[in-house]
Amino acid sequence: MDPSRRQGGIQQLLAAEQEAQQIVNAARAAKMARLKQAKEEAEKEIAEYRAHMEAEFQRKVAESSGDSGANAKRLEQETEEKIQQLKLQTSNISHDVVQMLLRHVTTVKN
């Protein structure tokens, strides 16, 4: 074989190897870029989901706290009505109770 021909074949092999290395490096770079893009997309989806769930939670908290305020007001009103009923009942029977107590206190038993 001719040395110049051998030298040309080696040069072709080296060029092919460099080209292959460039292709592999480009593929690695593209893969890393795609992984980075996928990670960013996933983080964006997570942030959107978290925001949605937080808004849903805040809505439910607002609904339940609104209900508890209404419940507290209703309970306060019911309590006041019950107090008024008890005062009315007390005023109706207070004379009878006083009379009964006086009778028992002033009666002497042998």
Side-chain angles (χ1 to χ4, degrees):
M1 255 176 104
D2 185 359
S4 66
R5 195 166 172 200
R6 241 187 310 167
Q7 192 68 16
I10 292 174
Q11 291 298 325
Q12 282 181 333
L13 285 174
L14 288 175
E17 184 179 352
Q18 285 179 345
E19 185 180 345
Q21 188 63 40
Q22 288 175 349
I23 292 171
V24 168
N25 288 341
R28 282 186 183 147
K31 178 181 175 183
M32 293 304 292
R34 178 60 189 130
L35 285 173
K36 184 177 178 183
Q37 181 185 6
K39 181 179 178 183
E40 290 171 355
E41 289 173 2
E43 288 174 351
K44 182 180 175 185
E45 282 185 36
I46 290 169
E48 289 173 358
Y49 180 74
R50 182 174 285 138
H52 171 73
M53 294 307 290
E54 180 67 24
E56 186 71 21
F57 173 73
Q58 292 299 333
R59 183 184 63 79
K60 286 184 179 183
V61 166
E63 286 177 1
S64 66
S65 67
D67 289 345
S68 69
N71 287 338
K73 190 168 186 161
R74 180 184 53 81
L75 288 174
E76 187 176 316
Q77 184 179 7
E78 288 176 4
T79 303
E80 188 62 36
E81 289 173 2
K82 188 70 171 178
I83 289 171
Q84 292 302 321
Q85 287 176 357
L86 290 173
K87 284 181 179 180
L88 181 63
Q89 289 174 354
T90 304
S91 67
N92 287 341
I93 63 169
S94 65
H95 179 71
D96 294 336
V97 171
V98 170
Q99 291 302 318
M100 181 183 68
L101 286 173
L102 282 174
R103 190 175 59 245
H104 283 289
V105 169
T106 57
T107 303
V108 178
K109 290 188 178 181
N110 290 331

